[in-house]
Amino acid sequence: MTAILGISAFYHDSAAALLVDGEIVAAAQEERFTRKKHDEDFPKQSVSYCLEQSKLDIADIDYVVFYEKPLLKFERLIETFVRFAPLGYASFRQAIPNWINSKLRIPKLIRQGLDGRYKGPLVFTEHHESHAASAFFPSPFDASAILTIDGVGEWSTTCIGYGSGNKIEIRKEIRFPHSLGLLYSAFTYYTGFRVNSGEYKLMGLAPYGKPTYRQQILDHLIDLKEDGSFRLDMKYFNYCQGLTMTSKYFNRLFGGTPRSPESKLTQRDMDIAASIQSVTEEAMLKLAIHAHKETGSSNLVLAGGVALNCVGNGKILREGPFEHIWIQPASGDAGGALGAATFTWHQLLNQPRKAETVDSQKGSLLGPAHDDACIRSAIDSAGLSFSKIGSEQELCDHVAELIDNGSVIGWFQGRMEFGPRALGARSILGDARSNRMQQLMNLKIKFRESFRPFAPIVLEEYADHYFELDAGQTSPYMLLVAPVRSELCCEPDEHSKNESFLERLQHVRSTIPAVTHIDFSARIQTVSSARNPMLHRLMKSFHHRTGCGVMINTSFNVRSEPIVCTPSDAVRCFVNTDIDVLVMGHFVVDKNRQAKPLISSDREAHLKQFQLD
């Protein structure tokens, strides 16, 4: 037996992943256990979970692998400072103590994090090697082109590679400071969202605007070539030498200083979002086309933070030259832990690989599960009354009826998801046919911005009935955007073009309005019995009852908190929001059937923040 523990830590979204004889046994992000969003500390609890899941001790681990090379990263920091000196002194002075005190001591910190009990070798892979490995090795392809795009690793920001059998190779790269991920993050910062976590908000805002600033971006900020290669004009950015993302020249180009966080969104903000999204999609498509020319493969795999731009992924699927695409569901830094482990097993230890028909990531349901005793204890501790339904079919029929009648369901089943998306294990579910559900769930349950779209889950066998997808096209990890079928859509009245942002939110745009974005698109998750049998059974029950094969699926959490991990987390979220019914395992907790009303001070604080009734 060979056990390999992969670790990502000390920058963003730390995680651990465990392979045993090449099989992905467990993987989880540390934030889920600590409840600290994007926790970057050593993933101590994630490691403990992986060992517990595999019934191994740390002494049984053969290799511990870190997802990047700290010394190469430090080299980049020093060279960047020298290049921009003396302008970068303030940021350099802030960064250096952190590097000297921690990041240059990563081997020691890893062994300390493992309680000094691990005596085996430490392996360090390069950042984009880890991304590439996470994209190719779990994929269902014997061979494929590889495209990784993010902010920056050690030096690389974008890589094109090729995977075949049990080997990958990086063929081309773009290096720091020229970065599509950092370009997008600069606009995330400029529009008032938080870098490294608000990029998906910028993507969601883009359809409300028009790309009126697109040409300014192409003329001044990025020199984008036909092969997808690019260079940024660094005078517009401040991330190399300062403590902000953008410079005074950037502000001057776009007519003002960055938007203050939480301030009112304007049409200008929406147009800026639409413009950078358009440029990003063009760059992603050109890179994909060049990857096809470089490799000749009909398959493409993607990873890196920019691979979470599901609108860009959808464009590659529709307009690109590839027959098949597979995207790593944990495309960001957390997935680097999995990539580092698989890279070691196949590339370094030369172990054979056989591509699975679906993929080898097990639906990305790689986190902890909780038994009935744990669930019952959490419910009892909160003083909640419940019912228990023994038959899985009866449970699904009951929940389908609740959703049909307008209830919002907290759905907690089986093993937790690995990656940023809730895929039907730690989800909030609702009726996609409801024209009030999007705003209700955004403001009364998620406590977040009203413009944010919700993703549909759709029975895999009916996906092309609702969305512009080829028959058989799957999107199991919610990483592709496609248009809702035109025959299901309702065009807005002519006068609606002059309506305000909030007025446009109210329009019914299709027969599944709660999951149809303002541009008639949807971020799709296809559900199959192979990957998620329990969710598939629920959706079959709902389809049998209503004739509709689509539901809302959003992550089981509130704004600024990680997705719930334990039954206690789920109970706390249920009590603090307007979720109607909590379903954990076979236990059903109905808010309307409690002995006394559930009123939480946390909930009241959230409501006050958003000025809701």
Side-chain angles (χ1 to χ4, degrees):
M1 181 193 77
T2 302
I4 303 172
L5 180 66
I7 290 173
S8 63
F10 309 124
Y11 175 61
H12 182 74
D13 238 5
S14 66
L18 183 65
L19 263 63
V20 178
D21 289 337
E23 180 187 357
I24 304 170
V25 173
Q29 293 125 283
E30 188 70 2
E31 66 165 19
R32 305 292 170 83
F33 302 98
T34 64
R35 312 308 301 157
K36 177 183 175 184
K37 198 166 179 68
H38 302 303
D39 194 341
E40 64 182 38
D41 291 339
F42 183 83
K44 196 173 184 69
Q45 294 187 62
S46 299
V47 169
S48 296
Y49 153 68
C50 288
L51 294 172
E52 181 181 341
Q53 179 67 30
S54 61
K55 298 180 172 57
L56 296 177
D57 184 79
I58 192 62
D60 300 316
I61 300 298
D62 297 283
Y63 300 92
V64 171
V65 194
F66 194 69
Y67 79 126
E68 62 183 11
K69 295 187 174 181
L71 289 178
L72 272 181
K73 209 162 188 175
F74 185 65
E75 173 189 281
R76 185 210 350 130
L77 180 72
I78 296 297
E79 287 195 23
T80 302
F81 169 66
V82 170
R83 177 181 172 186
F84 286 90
L87 292 179
Y89 181 68
S91 59
F92 180 77
R93 183 179 59 193
Q94 183 171 308
I96 281 298
N98 185 34
W99 272 92
I100 292 174
N101 293 329
S102 62
K103 295 181 181 180
L104 285 179
R105 300 169 55 242
I106 283 178
K108 183 176 181 180
L109 292 177
I110 292 172
R111 294 195 186 275
Q112 286 177 346
L114 300 174
D115 297 326
R117 299 181 56 235
Y118 176 71
K119 306 301 181 184
L122 296 179
V123 180
F124 293 84
T125 58
E126 290 193 20
H127 187 99
H128 274 260
E129 282 180 338
S130 298
H131 278 322
S134 77
F136 176 66
F137 291 130
S139 79
F141 308 137
D142 291 318
S144 78
I146 302 169
L147 181 58
T148 65
I149 317 171
D150 66 3
V152 61
E154 295 88 358
W155 280 103
S156 297
T157 68
T158 302
C159 288
I160 290 173
Y162 181 68
S164 179
N166 68 340
K167 292 289 187 288
I168 62 172
E169 59 173 321
I170 304 297
R171 294 187 175 180
K172 291 190 174 181
E173 68 171 359
I174 298 171
R175 289 165 67 91
F176 183 85
H178 307 290
S179 166
L180 192 61
L182 290 175
L183 173 66
Y184 203 85
S185 291
F187 280 89
T188 301
Y189 166 82
Y190 189 73
T191 49
F193 302 119
R194 182 174 295 179
V195 172
N196 286 331
S197 63
E199 282 77 7
Y200 58 95
K201 297 181 184 181
L202 188 66
M203 183 178 66
L205 186 63
Y208 293 96
K210 296 179 180 179
T212 54
Y213 297 93
R214 170 188 159 84
Q215 201 57 48
Q216 282 177 244
I217 296 171
L218 291 171
D219 287 345
H220 297 279
L221 268 59
I222 180 171
D223 179 16
L224 179 61
K225 303 299 186 184
E226 278 306 306
D227 64 356
S229 62
F230 56 85
R231 291 183 65 83
L232 305 184
D233 186 338
M234 296 309 300
K235 84 173 185 179
Y236 292 98
F237 304 95
N238 202 37
Y239 56 76
C240 287
Q241 72 275 25
L243 300 175
T244 60
M245 292 297 296
T246 57
S247 73
K248 62 182 180 181
Y249 299 103
F250 191 105
N251 299 349
R252 198 174 297 159
L253 180 65
F254 293 101
T257 56
R259 168 181 167 259
S260 298
E262 308 298 338
S263 63
K264 184 179 179 180
L265 286 162
T266 66
Q267 189 60 49
R268 173 175 164 274
D269 298 316
M270 300 170 207
D271 292 344
I272 287 173
S275 301
I276 187 56
Q277 179 63 34
S278 174
V279 171
T280 300
E281 290 171 27
E282 181 181 350
M284 291 176 71
L285 180 59
K286 285 182 173 180
L287 283 164
I289 292 170
H290 187 67
H292 180 262
K293 290 178 180 176
E294 180 72 23
T295 64
S297 177
S298 60
N299 303 317
L300 174 69
V301 297
L302 298 103
V306 177
L308 294 172
N309 192 308
C310 47
V311 182
N313 296 339
K315 190 177 186 72
I316 292 172
L317 177 67
R318 292 188 303 275
E319 302 179 25
F322 293 99
E323 295 179 19
H324 306 288
I325 294 175
W326 192 85
I327 307 154
Q328 168 53 238
S331 281
D333 280 3
L338 178 61
T342 57
F343 185 87
T344 301
W345 174 252
H346 292 297
Q347 191 97 352
L348 301 183
L349 298 180
N350 199 30
Q351 294 294 326
R353 169 183 176 267
K354 185 176 185 298
E356 303 288 340
T357 305
V358 180
D359 58 50
S360 63
Q361 195 138 332
K362 302 179 179 178
S364 216
L365 303 175
L366 300 170
H370 298 271
D371 60 20
D372 281 357
C374 186
I375 292 171
R376 174 69 186 270
S377 175
I379 294 171
D380 288 344
S381 295
L384 301 173
S385 59
F386 65 90
S387 59
K388 188 177 181 183
I389 301 175
S391 160
E392 189 172 291
Q393 187 60 57
E394 288 178 10
L395 176 70
C396 289
D397 289 343
H398 176 61
V399 175
E401 180 181 3
L402 290 170
I403 294 173
D404 184 27
N405 290 332
S407 292
V408 176
I409 308 297
W411 181 254
F412 185 103
Q413 302 291 336
R415 295 182 69 178
M416 181 181 69
E417 300 90 342
F418 178 55
R421 311 289 189 221
L423 302 171
R426 305 290 185 272
S427 290
I428 298 174
L429 306 177
D431 191 346
R433 302 169 300 164
S434 170
N435 59 12
R436 68 182 187 90
M437 194 59 69
Q438 181 196 11
Q439 279 205 311
L440 170 69
M441 291 178 75
N442 264 331
L443 298 179
K444 291 288 188 98
I445 295 167
K446 299 287 283 185
F447 304 120
R448 69 185 196 182
E449 301 89 346
S450 60
F451 70 84
R452 300 268 296 279
F454 284 106
I457 44 174
V458 57
L459 288 165
E460 188 174 279
E461 56 269 36
Y462 294 114
D464 62 324
H465 294 201
Y466 294 92
F467 307 103
E468 297 288 351
L469 294 170
D470 292 337
Q473 174 65 51
T474 64
S475 177
Y477 300 121
M478 206 188 289
L479 287 169
L480 291 173
V481 163
V484 177
R485 292 193 70 87
S486 57
E487 60 267 30
L488 303 180
C489 294
C490 315
E491 287 292 339
D493 297 333
E494 185 66 26
H495 77 275
S496 68
K497 295 177 182 178
N498 300 318
E499 289 180 338
S500 70
F501 171 52
L502 289 176
E503 286 173 328
R504 281 182 284 159
L505 281 174
Q506 313 300 323
H507 284 291
V508 174
R509 289 180 284 275
S510 78
T511 57
I512 45 173
V515 295
T516 304
H517 205 11
I518 196 169
D519 60 350
F520 301 98
S521 70
R523 187 182 72 200
I524 300 160
Q525 180 192 349
T526 54
V527 177
S528 69
S529 58
R531 284 190 175 91
N532 196 325
M534 183 71 163
L535 183 62
H536 187 265
R537 176 169 284 189
L538 170 62
M539 295 193 67
K540 290 289 282 187
S541 294
F542 187 75
H543 182 258
H544 178 75
R545 179 182 180 84
T546 66
C548 181
V550 181
M551 289 182 187
I552 295 173
N553 172 25
T554 189
S555 56
F556 199 159
N557 66 319
V558 295
R559 188 185 196 215
S560 301
E561 289 187 2
I563 294 172
V564 301
C565 178
T566 67
S568 295
D569 298 334
V571 167
R572 187 162 51 251
C573 187
F574 170 66
V575 170
N576 290 341
T577 65
D578 283 346
I579 294 173
D580 298 301
V581 181
L582 174 61
V583 182
M584 294 195 291
H586 289 253
F587 293 85
V588 179
V589 183
D590 192 323
K591 203 164 271 181
N592 290 327
R593 297 188 177 183
Q594 301 306 307
K596 56 184 180 179
L598 302 178
I599 300 175
S600 162
S601 59
D602 288 347
R603 177 181 179 276
E604 295 305 314
H606 281 302
L607 293 176
K608 185 176 181 181
Q609 176 188 350
F610 278 84
Q611 299 180 329
L612 301 176
D613 296 330

